[in-house]
């Protein structure tokens, strides 16, 4: 008699087949998708238009451009906060772009859980899929 908490063999086999198909897709498209994802750069402007921030695919800072008009209101704290807020918006858009690029081969929810470092959610999704529940 099977336990209700344990996935059945057929569901595990189906999930293994799905993973194998996903790996094949990733292998086939992997080089191109990796190059696209690696090349992602997103530029965001601050709400006042005086700060421009460009980030790479992992949200890492690539470039900051400051309009000389920022010196008319010399407020270092406000400038720092503006840079951080603009960089955070750029990083969120870069992450969204990465998810769009990889979505054909990696389900968005799983990718987002991994990008967030949310092991609990990633494992819960895996367990749910192995149990045949989607």
């Amino acid at each position: 008699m099977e336990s209700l908490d344990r996935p059945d063999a057929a569901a595990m086999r189906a999930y293994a087949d799905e993973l194998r198909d996903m790996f094949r897709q990733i292998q086939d498209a992997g080089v191109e998708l990796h190059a696209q994802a690696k090349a992602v750069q997103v530029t965001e402007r601050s709400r006042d238009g005086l700060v421009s921030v460009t980030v790479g695919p992992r949200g890492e800072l690539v470039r900051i451009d400051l309009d000389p008009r920022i010196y008319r209101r010399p407020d270092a704290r406000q400038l720092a906060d503006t840079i951080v807020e603009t960089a955070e918006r750029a990083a969120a858009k870069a992450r969204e772009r990465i998810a769009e690029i990889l979505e054909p081969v990696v389900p968005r929810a799983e990718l987002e859980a991994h990008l967030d470092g949310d092991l609990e959610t990633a494992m819960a999704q895996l367990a749910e899929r192995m149990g045949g529940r989607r």
Side-chain angles (χ1 to χ4, degrees), residues 14-28:
Y15 184 64
D17 290 342
E18 186 178 333
L19 283 176
R20 186 175 43 253
D21 291 343
M22 186 187 302
F23 283 141
R24 284 188 186 132
Q25 284 181 311
I26 290 170
Q27 282 179 324
D28 293 345

Side-chain angles (χ1 to χ4, degrees), residues 42-78:
V42 174
T43 301
E44 271 295 299
R45 293 188 79 68
S46 62
R47 298 186 198 294
D48 62 8
L50 300 178
V51 175
S52 176
V53 175
T54 301
V55 299
R58 288 183 231 110
E60 72 277 12
L61 189 60
V62 173
R63 181 183 175 119
I64 297 177
D65 290 305
L66 304 173
D67 187 299
R69 293 177 292 161
I70 64 165
Y71 299 111
R72 292 181 186 162
R73 295 184 331 250
D75 183 345
R77 178 74 268 146
Q78 181 183 10

Side-chain angles (χ1 to χ4, degrees), residues 20-38 98 100-106:
R20 186 175 43 253
D21 291 343
M22 186 187 302
F23 283 141
R24 284 188 186 132
Q25 284 181 311
I26 290 170
Q27 282 179 324
D28 293 345
V31 173
E32 180 184 336
L33 292 177
H34 181 262
Q36 287 177 19
K38 192 174 178 181
I98 295 297
E100 289 171 4
I101 290 169
L102 297 178
E103 196 165 29
V105 293
V106 180

